[in-house]
Amino acid sequence: MPTRTSEPTAVTARALAPDLARGFMLLFIALANSHYFLSGRPVLGGYPQDGSPLDSAVTWLIATFVDGRAFPMFGLLFGYGVAHMVRRRSDAGPRAVRRLLWRRSLALVVIGSLHGLLLYAGDILAAYGVLLFLGAWTVRWKDGWLLATAAFFFVLCALPGDDSLSISTDPPDAALLPPDAVTMIVERAHITPWIALLGPLGFMCPFMLGLWAGRRGILEQPERFGTLLRVAACAGVGAAVLGAQPVSLMLAGVVPVPDPSTLTLIGPLHDATGVLGGLGYAAAVALSAQRLGERRGKVVEAVAATGQRSMSCYLAQSVIWALVFTPFVLDLSSDLTVTTTALLALTTWTATVLLAHHLHGRGRRGPFEALVRRVTYGRRRV
């Protein structure tokens, strides 16, 4: 178990599994976000429907293994990290812990709001900030309350409905692809607060489970929780793959689009099983980290370094999307395909891995991680 202290965790003292998971999942986030910019054609679930057979295959892969699976894992890891912060502050009272978490919440809301206005309309950092503001009241809840709350929000998100992105026929709007800078600010000023306020509903389940798991250090002690992790990995990823098929096969054009009433069932099914998939991915990475032990090559170190700088790398992705897709910049949203956009996402992620590894070699945090730590802990503790 970690030493009880009020200091932020040093980079060299961090456990491998959570950072490795964040690093890998940033690739999934790049793949999940970038295809929603594609325009100029009829779309379904964020995918153009007039692509090549290769595009259909890539669509099936992303819809099965990526869409709706990466963000729940980040929600889990976010809660896990919050639990770690609280454990390290066990000597402080509840009010001191809440103030610490609220300072971090404020930093996330401010950075996320600016990110949503200037770079990417689908920002999640502000939503995490709102979630942390509310979650600061839950960090001392008993385990039963955490698990019951997680179950409630899981069921809530699984209820039939037509607001799942996986079945949406809406093309990119003016907030995502603004024709000019003024429209960009005006449109995003409307949508960014709504995402920040409603986003926590979707993240509450994995966040609560992350708090529960973080109290026990489950991802850091795979030798102790091996059975639980293996069950979670197999059941979670298996459920995610199976639950995605009605939507994935439809988006890939293998099966026809069903009637609207069926869509309201398979969309939430895709999203709900994605939560289970996010948990399964986290468990699988923890088991992989155990097998690696101290045998960490440069690739593993680089991906873990990316996870340590996940906020900076996430924001760097948005810089690329803004340059490539924005109509008054390069305006490639109608020129790229699902396949070429996936290659762009892979290239972008690889570039952030190389940058993070460079910063790691120089012993430097990511710029936004350093900023958030300064706000959270104060100048002298960064």
Side-chain angles (χ1 to χ4, degrees):
M1 298 294 290
T3 304
R4 300 298 196 261
T5 176
S6 61
E7 298 294 327
T9 306
V11 173
T12 55
R14 296 173 67 112
L16 174 63
D19 288 331
L20 195 61
R22 291 186 187 94
F24 273 121
M25 283 302 105
L26 279 168
L27 170 60
F28 280 21
I29 285 180
L31 291 167
N33 283 343
S34 54
H35 68 80
Y36 283 102
F37 289 96
L38 298 178
S39 65
R41 294 145 282 182
V43 298
L44 181 60
Y47 295 95
Q49 294 299 290
D50 59 352
S52 66
L54 178 58
D55 290 328
S56 296
V58 174
T59 296
W60 180 85
L61 286 171
I62 297 177
T64 296
F65 296 101
V66 176
D67 287 347
R69 278 98 183 107
F71 289 106
M73 179 175 169
F74 262 78
L76 172 77
L77 294 172
F78 183 59
Y80 196 94
V82 170
H84 180 75
M85 290 175 63
V86 173
R87 292 199 333 250
R88 292 175 62 85
R89 296 280 293 184
S90 61
D91 58 331
R95 290 185 179 180
V97 171
R98 281 199 298 270
R99 285 195 296 268
L100 181 78
L101 297 179
W102 284 341
R103 288 196 296 270
R104 192 176 188 88
S105 167
L106 176 62
L108 290 173
V109 169
V110 172
I111 294 172
S113 298
L114 292 174
H115 174 229
L117 286 173
L118 301 177
L119 290 175
Y120 176 52
D123 167 77
I124 61 168
L125 295 179
Y128 278 172
V130 173
L131 177 60
L132 182 57
F133 181 83
L134 300 173
W137 295 97
T138 70
V139 295
R140 296 184 183 274
W141 281 6
K142 294 182 179 180
D143 289 347
W145 280 104
L146 293 178
L147 296 176
T149 304
F152 172 79
F153 279 95
F154 178 81
V155 172
L156 182 66
C157 293
L159 294 176
D162 60 359
D163 53 356
S164 170
L165 290 178
S166 66
I167 58 173
S168 173
T169 58
D170 295 333
D173 59 14
L176 203 61
L177 295 177
D180 54 70
V182 174
T183 302
M184 178 182 75
I185 298 299
V186 171
E187 292 293 328
R188 292 179 181 178
H190 289 115
I191 193 172
T192 299
W194 282 107
I195 295 176
L197 293 174
L198 297 179
L201 295 176
F203 292 124
M204 189 65 75
C205 172
F207 175 78
M208 291 293 175
L209 292 176
L211 285 178
W212 175 83
R215 288 177 176 176
R216 291 157 176 78
I218 290 177
L219 299 180
E220 300 149 83
Q221 303 178 76
E223 68 285 348
R224 179 182 176 189
F225 298 100
T227 300
L228 174 62
L229 290 171
R230 285 190 289 272
V231 170
C234 294
V237 176
V241 171
L242 292 176
Q245 293 318 299
V247 163
S248 299
L249 293 173
M250 174 190 71
L251 296 178
V254 177
V255 298
V257 178
D259 59 86
S261 61
T262 302
L263 287 174
T264 62
L265 296 175
I266 65 175
L269 173 66
H270 182 274
D271 298 341
T273 54
V275 174
L276 301 178
L279 306 181
Y281 284 147
V285 172
L287 293 170
S288 299
Q290 179 190 27
R291 289 197 172 191
L292 288 170
E294 297 301 322
R295 305 186 307 275
R296 305 179 188 181
K298 289 186 177 181
V299 173
V300 172
E301 285 188 355
V303 175
T306 307
Q308 293 168 5
R309 297 156 182 83
S310 57
M311 183 186 299
S312 296
C313 292
Y314 168 68
L315 294 172
Q317 291 182 6
S318 295
V319 173
I320 300 302
W321 311 151
L323 292 175
V324 171
F325 296 112
T326 303
F328 57 89
V329 188
L330 293 181
D331 192 20
L332 297 181
S333 62
S334 60
D335 298 316
L336 297 180
T337 66
V338 173
T339 302
T340 54
T341 302
L343 291 174
L344 172 65
L346 175 60
T347 302
T348 300
W349 175 77
T350 302
T352 61
V353 170
L354 295 174
L355 176 60
H357 187 53
H358 172 71
L359 292 174
H360 178 75
R362 299 182 63 181
R364 298 179 61 181
R365 298 186 186 275
F368 288 95
E369 284 73 22
L371 175 61
V372 171
R373 277 171 169 78
R374 173 166 293 187
V375 173
T376 303
Y377 294 102
R379 182 184 300 270
R380 288 177 296 178
R381 291 180 176 178
V382 175

